[in-house]
Amino acid sequence: MLSIHDSGPRLCDGLTRREWLRIGGLSALGLSLPRLLSARTPAHSASFGKAKSCIVLFLLGGPPQHETWDPKPDAPAEIRGEFKPIATNVPGIQVGELMPQTARLMDKIAALRAVSTDDNAHSSSGYWMLTGVPHQPTNSENAKPGAPNDLPCVGALVQRLRADKNGLPAAVTLPEHIWNTGNLVWPGQDGGLLGRSADPWLLTCDPSAADFQVPGLSLPGEVSPGRFQDRRSLLDQVNERLDAVDKSGAIARFDNRSKQAFDLLRAGKARQAFNLDKEPLAVRDRYGKNRFGQSVLLARRLVEAGVSLVQVNWTRTKEDDNNSPAWDNHQKNGFRCKNVLMPPMDQAYSALLDDLDQRGLLGETLVVWAGEFGRTPKHNPAGGRDHWGHVFSAALAGGGIRGGQVYGASDSIGGRPRDGRVQPQDITATVFHCLGYAPDTEVHDTLGRPLPISRGAPIRQVLG
């Protein structure tokens, strides 16, 4: 990040002469004066730092804007699809008819109808959404992690900015990484340049399983409490020797993760956060007895226990095939939305907002609903919608967000932004703003180089 330190006289608008020079330089990098000024203003608003935690619901494959937040009832049939819009509890705002439970909570939600990456590839557009920085180059499918696309994800930045709490890490991802066909893991899901110690803690699990246990959070039957303490003592001795001979990142990662695993095993309170059996059956049923629903419930328990950011990924299920996996509906878009995707999403998302609200936690928990892009305005011959990064929808609710509104608009067919265009870096800036960090807050990579946590500006129009 380019920064010039100056304590000299300020101009009439509060900017120093050197800041004006900085503005001129940044404009060449795509940051205009209005964007820079808008990035300065929200830090003084009541929404700054209002969220103690954040839950990100990331829907792999690209949820269709037409069937969710941006229905187009007046468009031709091949564009509007087979579903109609329904009224929400906010007069004048409609959503797709497959979101009836979400519709009654619209007063708590700010929908973004003009998000855009202009990137039609899952992994590269996804990288941008997860890190707030465009992939190099864009429109690169099956992109792999690594330089030059090794910037940290939002969870990794939170992991670096905030300390672990109550024996739990600052950032958790579940129930698995996001991947393309062939188990090709997307870039932008780890610590990247910050090093492995900044990786969000990945829980590969199925919380809906009858025998659900988080791997590594229970002692094997043959290990008594006494033997457990002996093993912890042995680990400490080994780490002392390792520290004396090797200061590499791999050793640091081993040390941090091993100690964290032992701490979780010892800390009853932290361990209890993963025990979904503590929830009443009615609550578990409300979220939905499926992997996504129970993962969302687990996310609520984790933020309640002190985790700062939990990302819940909707990834492929065992029933998905490669033609239309997860939300990637290249075929039978209407059928999959109606019978496979929308009901469990609507159920879990609305349950989360309801549950947080009833517990008095919604005002301090930011909830982000997003995917890597949207879907084409026009259906293809197979009845599907294809990749579309030119305009799509996302939604924000909870801590720091003023609900009951729509920001931005797409054109008449939901194909391009008409006004209020938002890019991924603006969403990340909004997340950090609500968590109490200005976009130009810096962290340092493994070589000591400064990195700004966001290159965007908080979306002032949706802040409370």
Side-chain angles (χ1 to χ4, degrees):
M1 174 184 176
L2 174 65
S3 61
I4 303 174
H5 300 286
D6 191 301
S7 57
R10 294 187 172 270
L11 304 176
C12 59
D13 59 359
L15 296 175
T16 67
R17 183 180 305 277
R18 286 194 178 184
E19 284 176 320
W20 273 107
L21 293 173
R22 178 172 174 259
I23 291 169
L26 289 176
S27 63
L29 301 176
L31 185 60
S32 64
L33 174 59
R35 179 176 289 273
L36 184 62
L37 293 176
S38 69
R40 292 165 55 94
T41 304
H44 306 290
S45 70
S47 58
F48 186 76
K50 192 171 182 180
K52 294 181 180 178
S53 56
C54 176
I55 296 174
V56 178
L57 307 180
F58 197 92
L59 312 181
L60 163 67
Q65 62 272 25
H66 300 78
E67 281 77 22
T68 54
W69 302 102
D70 194 12
K72 298 294 181 182
D74 298 325
E78 65 271 19
I79 290 171
R80 69 173 182 266
E82 62 190 87
F83 305 112
K84 299 176 181 179
I86 57 173
T88 69
N89 67 345
V90 177
I93 298 180
Q94 296 180 320
V95 296
E97 68 174 274
L98 299 178
M99 299 172 68
Q101 298 183 71
T102 298
R104 64 176 178 78
L105 299 172
M106 192 67 215
D107 61 315
K108 298 175 174 59
I109 302 167
L112 309 176
R113 287 181 174 171
V115 184
S116 178
T117 62
D118 289 321
D119 190 327
N120 294 332
H122 290 291
S123 46
S124 56
S125 191
Y127 176 84
W128 195 350
M129 288 294 292
L130 294 168
T131 66
V133 180
H135 189 274
Q136 301 178 39
T138 59
N139 291 288
S140 299
E141 200 56 275
N142 295 331
K144 297 179 180 179
N149 300 294
D150 51 4
L151 286 166
C153 63
V154 171
L157 290 165
V158 170
Q159 185 74 28
R160 179 55 57 86
L161 290 167
R162 293 194 170 181
D164 296 352
K165 186 176 181 182
N166 297 330
L168 289 164
V172 172
T173 298
L174 60 100
E176 66 172 337
H177 265 146
I178 304 170
W179 50 278
N180 276 9
T181 300
N183 201 27
L184 301 175
V185 176
W186 287 7
Q189 300 187 72
D190 56 25
L193 291 173
L194 299 182
R196 300 283 68 83
S197 63
D199 287 353
W201 194 33
L202 175 65
L203 299 181
T204 303
C205 58
D206 182 358
S208 68
D211 57 348
F212 165 63
Q213 285 187 339
V214 175
L217 290 194
S218 60
L219 289 174
E222 71 275 9
V223 179
S224 66
R227 289 184 65 192
F228 169 73
Q229 291 300 332
D230 290 343
R231 290 187 181 188
R232 176 59 193 262
S233 176
L234 177 61
L235 175 69
D236 290 339
Q237 295 176 48
V238 170
N239 281 333
E240 287 179 8
R241 292 296 184 91
L242 290 174
D243 288 343
V245 298
D246 193 341
K247 296 293 185 181
S248 72
I251 294 298
R253 184 186 182 191
F254 171 80
D255 178 58
N256 290 340
R257 289 295 183 258
S258 298
K259 289 180 67 176
Q260 187 174 77
F262 273 102
D263 288 341
L264 282 168
L265 282 169
R266 292 191 306 166
K269 183 178 179 181
R271 210 164 57 240
Q272 288 303 311
F274 299 94
N275 189 356
L276 293 180
D277 289 336
K278 294 291 185 180
E279 293 289 334
L281 289 178
V283 173
R284 297 198 66 176
D285 289 341
R286 173 68 179 91
Y287 278 83
K289 287 294 190 67
N290 53 71
R291 186 179 65 162
F292 181 72
Q294 297 301 292
S295 294
V296 175
L297 173 56
L298 180 55
R300 191 224 79 205
R301 290 182 61 85
L302 288 173
V303 299
E304 204 170 19
V307 178
S308 292
L309 185 141
V310 182
Q311 179 169 319
V312 178
N313 295 326
W314 180 309
T315 53
R316 303 177 184 218
T317 66
K318 297 176 181 178
E319 294 74 28
D320 288 343
D321 59 36
N322 290 337
N323 294 319
S324 294
W327 291 81
D328 194 21
N329 291 341
H330 291 286
Q331 298 180 1
K332 300 179 180 179
N333 178 67
F335 174 85
R336 285 187 56 78
C337 283
K338 182 177 181 179
N339 298 287
V340 179
L341 301 169
M342 296 295 289
M345 182 282 294
D346 183 47
Q347 181 176 2
Y349 179 56
S350 62
L352 177 63
L353 298 185
D354 266 337
D355 201 5
L356 290 171
D357 192 33
Q358 292 166 10
R359 292 170 179 270
L361 297 174
L362 185 58
E364 61 186 44
T365 307
L366 174 64
V367 179
V368 181
W369 185 106
E372 69 269 31
F373 49 40
R375 312 303 297 183
T376 51
K378 190 174 181 179
H379 284 79
N380 61 33
R385 296 187 189 269
D386 299 317
H387 302 177
W388 197 254
H390 303 295
V391 71
F392 53 102
S393 298
L396 304 172
I401 300 299
R402 179 167 54 86
Q405 62 169 319
V406 168
Y407 177 65
S410 64
D411 60 22
S412 61
I413 63 170
R416 301 278 175 173
R418 192 181 69 202
D419 57 60
R421 183 173 185 251
V422 165
Q423 291 185 291
Q425 60 266 32
D426 302 317
I427 297 177
T428 66
T430 304
V431 169
F432 284 118
H433 169 90
C434 293
L435 289 173
Y437 302 95
D440 58 358
T441 300
E442 291 179 345
V443 294
H444 292 82
D445 68 12
T446 55
L447 298 178
R449 296 171 297 187
L451 293 173
I453 61 174
S454 176
R455 291 159 173 80
I459 308 167
R460 292 176 297 133
Q461 293 83 351
V462 303
L463 295 174

